[in-house]
Amino acid sequence: MAIETLTLARAQAIAEAVISAARGKDFQLALAVVDTGGWSHLQIRMDGAFPAAIDAALAKARTAALFRRPSSDFSRRVKEGMPLAHLPHVVPLGGGVLLERDGVLFGALGVSGAREDTETELAEEIAVGFAQGLIGR
């Protein structure tokens, strides 16, 4: 898998798409966009999002980036009984997704502040839009 540098302009476009989608669903979320190494590029907490949501969003994005898979994969595994409590940098909650386009990895997105299934759904929608070049071109 090739890796591309995530620009601030792309991270901002991703954040704007998350905020727009969250408002459309009446969610108050926090989001984090990280590079391929899991380092924060942009973090935002919407008005009304609970304070810890920003930490959770960053942890979910880092999980996706560092393990090159959605954080929901780890959530599913824990629910199936796999002990992951001591695996470094794993937050087994949905809402963390990779940001890929044309086989190139740019980074990851994490969202927090709603139910896990709705966070995962929203994050996946944004990732699809990014992959299709509709977001962050």
Side-chain angles (χ1 to χ4, degrees), residues 39-115:
W39 294 103
S40 179
H41 210 70
L42 181 73
Q43 292 177 263
I44 293 175
R45 184 169 61 98
M46 295 173 65
D47 295 339
F50 63 92
I54 195 67
D55 290 333
L58 178 59
K60 293 173 185 186
R62 292 193 80 216
T63 296
L66 294 174
F67 289 91
R68 305 292 197 257
R69 67 185 60 225
S71 62
S72 59
D73 283 2
F74 295 101
S75 176
R76 180 182 41 77
R77 289 179 180 178
V78 166
K79 290 172 185 169
E80 292 170 351
M82 181 178 279
L84 295 172
H86 299 292
L87 192 58
H89 306 295
V90 170
V91 173
L93 297 169
V97 294
L98 293 173
L99 297 168
E100 302 174 275
R101 182 182 298 143
D102 299 325
V104 177
L105 178 63
F106 288 80
L109 165 67
V111 298
S112 183
R115 288 190 343 249

Side-chain angles (χ1 to χ4, degrees), residues 7-50:
T7 64
L8 179 58
R10 281 192 175 123
Q12 288 172 323
I14 293 160
E16 289 170 11
V18 170
I19 291 168
S20 178
R23 284 185 179 143
K25 298 175 187 281
D26 201 27
F27 295 158
Q28 294 80 40
L29 299 177
L31 68 102
V33 180
V34 301
D35 65 16
T36 58
W39 294 103
S40 179
H41 210 70
L42 181 73
Q43 292 177 263
I44 293 175
R45 184 169 61 98
M46 295 173 65
D47 295 339
F50 63 92

Side-chain angles (χ1 to χ4, degrees), residues 117-128:
D117 59 332
T118 56
E119 293 168 347
T120 299
E121 182 181 299
L122 189 144
E124 289 172 349
E125 287 173 15
I126 301 302
V128 167

